[in-house]
Amino acid sequence: QLQLVESGGGLVQSGGSLRLSCVGHGVTLDYYAITWFRQAPGKEREGVSCISSKGGTRNYVDSVKGRFTISRDNAKNMVTLQMNSLKPEDTATYYCAAEVRSFDCVMNSKSFEVWGQGTLVTVSS
């Protein structure tokens, strides 16, 4: 069965960059839309970005538009979230989640089948 593993989190100064990776194991990601979520201490989990199964559709929450870029390389079974111009309010644990969808992706879907373990991003002032 599918497992997802996130990596790439760490400590970075405001204005810096990080690249997060979500790698699938056991099953190809070719049929899965992937969404990145984040949860900060004391705050509700929110969808950050999603990408359709073939990469043709990408969505972003307003707060990260122009700063974050989601992409995928199905040959590597991997989805990447490039985060630039990071702000302290981006501090959170970031998770990727998978959902079988043919053509689109849905922010904050309630039907995700698999979740990763999360990777912590800390942005200092």
Side-chain angles (χ1 to χ4, degrees):
Q1 62 180 22
L2 176 63
Q3 292 181 291
L4 299 175
V5 179
E6 302 98 331
S7 62
L11 175 64
V12 66
Q13 289 185 324
S14 180
S17 298
L18 286 172
R19 178 177 291 176
L20 305 184
S21 295
C22 173
V23 177
H25 298 270
V27 181
T28 179
L29 295 180
D30 290 359
Y31 303 102
Y32 290 89
I34 302 295
T35 296
W36 284 97
F37 292 86
R38 66 186 179 187
Q39 187 162 30
K43 295 186 177 180
E44 191 174 38
R45 183 182 65 196
E46 68 169 345
V48 177
S49 182
C50 68
I51 187 166
S52 59
S53 60
K54 299 299 186 290
T57 300
R58 303 175 182 89
N59 293 310
Y60 302 90
V61 67
D62 286 346
S63 61
V64 309
K65 287 181 178 177
R67 300 189 297 119
F68 291 11
T69 302
I70 192 169
S71 62
R72 69 189 300 158
D73 185 344
N74 282 351
K76 297 180 179 179
N77 231 32
M78 181 173 65
V79 174
T80 298
L81 185 67
Q82 177 67 45
M83 306 187 296
N84 298 326
S85 302
L86 283 162
K87 304 175 181 180
E89 51 262 45
D90 295 318
T91 296
T93 299
Y94 285 72
Y95 304 86
C96 61
E99 180 182 27
V100 175
R101 301 186 70 89
S102 295
F103 305 110
D104 64 350
C105 66
V106 178
M107 298 290 290
N108 297 312
S109 173
K110 305 298 183 182
S111 302
F112 289 102
E113 301 174 31
V114 182
W115 290 80
Q117 84 290 346
T119 185
L120 178 62
V121 172
T122 303
V123 184
S124 62
S125 300

